[in-house]
Amino acid sequence: MRTLFFLIQKEFLQIMRNKTILIMMTILPIFQLIVLSNAATNEVKEVKIILLDHDLSETSRALTRKIMANEHFRLIDQLFSKEQALEKMQANEADIILEVPGNFEREFVRGEKPAMQMLVNAINGQQATVGSGYLRNIINTYNRDIFSEIHWMPRPATSHSGIDVSSRYWYNPMLRYTDFMVPGILAELTALLTIVLTAMNVVREREIGTIEQVNVTPIKKWQFIIGKLVPFLCVGMFIMTVGLTVGKIVFDIPMVGSLGLLFVYAFINLIAVLGFGLLISNFADTQQQAIFVAFFFILIFILMSGLFTPIDSMPTWAQYLTKANPLAHFIAVSRKVLMKGSGFLDLTSEFIYTTILAIIFNAAAIWSYKKQE
């Protein structure tokens, strides 16, 4: 234990003397958390729309006013030529073209089903899906309201008047995007920064030759790995604490669950990702190689973590691969604890998978470091 104590003390001294690492563990996480949480949003705040109103009746104008009253829509133009409207969409000046037919009000009053056409610019699939969903909801609401006002009007045969569905959003009632993204980005920054720092640290010692001095001492391999792991584990927990504080102060994120449980899980997850960083460093000869290999896996971890797209929407084989992604478990646990208030029993599978990953990665790191002799 005395040997291990001196190894850990040496690593702490090296970290404190390295100004780059100090910046990476203090300023960079705060800067990235604030910038990414504001910028990396999937919210659709503005949908540009062109109206082709061939009817120009009071009913069609009322529908236009209802659409324009919605804050998500911005009227680009009102035209009568479909070709002109398509040219504007081709120039990316419009997201949606809504065409109202000339006999719209007459068919509406007769109780028939007037058909409107909605053309959606689907280059950005998410913008198209959300924007058309907003517009469809407005039209459906207008349809229901106008029938209730003109009670004598016969309803279309296909209308489902007997079912009234009301929705409530649980765990994020105001649908605040930052409440959803900040816990995920914080978990991502904590895990990825510690991977890069660990991978670079061992290789740096190899480059300057100090690791050769360690290799000729009777220090055991597991002592060397633990000596490298413990200081950066403390760095990771420090980043986690700073990130949660900034998230609460700047974004007022909810903290419904137990912070103690979140820190316990973060402790296990950081052991796993640190073992992965040490494993990378054992196969890299230079810091450039270590960074290149680390970022190769980091891209995979981020894209398959569920940070931006739900894991349930991925193909089945990809969902199985996410079991080996510690970042995916970290993001899931952060959101469950902070937003839902999940307890240990709700997080059993994440704890089991992460513990297995921690054992595998660190065992592989110790085994591969033995080959360096």
Side-chain angles (χ1 to χ4, degrees):
M1 291 301 293
R2 184 179 175 82
T3 303
L4 190 58
F5 171 77
F6 284 121
L7 274 174
I8 295 173
Q9 186 182 38
K10 176 186 80 69
E11 292 300 326
F12 271 118
L13 288 174
Q14 284 186 338
I15 291 173
M16 298 306 293
R17 289 171 182 170
N18 192 326
K19 294 181 180 178
T20 304
I21 292 180
L22 290 178
I23 293 174
M24 290 182 70
M25 60 182 281
T26 52
I27 299 176
L28 278 185
I30 298 174
F31 176 78
Q32 289 178 317
L33 183 65
I34 294 175
V35 171
L36 293 179
S37 298
N38 282 299
T41 171
N42 287 329
E43 283 184 301
V44 178
K45 296 181 179 178
E46 182 182 272
V47 180
K48 294 176 285 187
I49 185 170
I50 291 178
L51 289 171
L52 294 175
D53 188 354
H54 301 296
D55 194 46
L56 293 177
S57 61
E58 181 57 32
T59 305
S60 64
R61 289 195 181 98
L63 175 60
T64 303
R65 289 194 294 271
K66 195 170 186 63
I67 294 172
M68 291 305 100
N70 190 289
E71 61 180 2
H72 293 101
F73 288 95
R74 181 161 68 91
L75 181 63
I76 300 299
D77 209 343
Q78 282 186 293
L79 302 173
F80 298 97
S81 169
K82 194 171 184 177
E83 287 71 21
Q84 291 181 353
L86 289 173
E87 287 177 2
K88 286 183 176 292
M89 181 178 281
Q90 178 73 21
N92 281 331
E93 296 178 12
D95 299 313
I96 294 179
I97 299 172
L98 181 64
E99 185 174 14
V100 181
N103 53 356
F104 177 74
E105 186 177 64
R106 186 178 60 185
E107 292 184 1
F108 199 84
V109 172
R110 287 178 177 175
E112 299 174 359
K113 294 174 62 181
M116 292 189 295
Q117 187 178 44
M118 187 193 308
L119 302 175
V120 183
N121 184 350
I123 289 180
N124 185 332
Q126 184 167 11
Q127 175 100 356
T129 303
V130 176
S132 61
Y134 288 161
L135 186 55
R136 192 172 290 107
N137 284 336
I138 292 173
I139 294 172
N140 289 337
T141 303
Y142 174 78
N143 186 41
R144 187 171 58 247
D145 291 346
I146 200 71
F147 269 116
S148 61
E149 290 176 5
I150 311 174
H151 56 83
W152 51 267
M153 186 177 293
R155 291 175 179 269
T158 55
S159 64
H160 303 286
S161 57
I163 301 176
D164 185 16
V165 179
S166 59
S167 302
R168 292 186 63 189
Y169 299 102
W170 283 41
Y171 313 122
N172 189 5
M174 301 303 293
L175 295 180
R176 291 182 61 202
Y177 196 72
T178 51
D179 289 359
F180 175 72
M181 287 302 294
V182 171
I185 292 176
L186 174 59
E188 174 201 337
L189 291 176
T190 305
L192 300 186
L193 279 176
T194 48
I195 287 179
V196 174
L197 290 174
T198 314
M200 291 175 57
N201 180 269
V202 177
V203 179
R204 183 173 178 273
E205 284 208 38
R206 188 174 297 129
E207 286 182 339
I208 62 179
T210 55
I211 201 167
E212 300 299 332
Q213 299 173 12
V214 176
N215 283 340
V216 297
T217 63
I219 295 174
K220 298 183 183 303
K221 312 308 175 191
W222 65 268
Q223 289 176 328
F224 176 81
I225 294 298
I226 293 177
K228 288 289 182 186
L229 189 145
V230 171
F232 286 100
L233 181 60
C234 296
V235 170
M237 298 300 287
F238 176 76
I239 294 174
M240 184 77 183
T241 306
V242 172
L244 281 174
T245 305
V246 172
K248 186 62 180 176
I249 294 175
V250 178
F251 298 102
D252 192 26
I253 59 172
M255 294 183 177
V256 181
S258 168
L259 289 180
L261 179 63
L262 180 60
F263 275 101
V264 169
Y265 177 81
F267 184 86
I268 300 173
N269 193 283
L270 285 173
I271 292 176
V273 297
L274 287 170
F276 188 75
L278 291 169
L279 182 62
I280 292 175
S281 68
N282 288 341
F283 291 97
D285 295 323
T286 64
Q287 294 188 62
Q288 288 80 6
Q289 285 182 8
I291 292 175
F292 179 80
V293 175
F295 273 96
F296 172 79
F297 286 102
I298 284 173
L299 282 176
I300 297 174
F301 284 167
I302 292 176
L303 294 178
M304 300 186 68
S305 65
L307 180 61
F308 300 107
T309 54
I311 292 177
D312 293 338
S313 301
M314 298 179 185
T316 305
W317 60 266
Q319 294 183 33
Y320 283 117
L321 287 180
T322 60
K323 303 297 182 186
N325 183 356
L327 183 56
H329 300 301
F330 204 166
I331 291 174
V333 170
S334 298
R335 286 172 173 169
K336 287 180 180 178
V337 172
L338 294 178
M339 298 182 70
K340 294 176 63 176
S342 299
F344 178 76
L345 293 178
D346 303 314
L347 307 172
T348 304
S349 62
E350 283 86 356
F351 269 92
I352 292 174
Y353 281 121
T354 308
T355 303
I356 293 173
L357 290 174
I359 294 172
I360 292 175
F361 288 151
N362 284 279
I366 295 173
W367 174 80
S368 59
Y369 178 69
K370 189 177 181 180
K371 294 173 64 176
Q372 301 292 327
E373 283 192 327

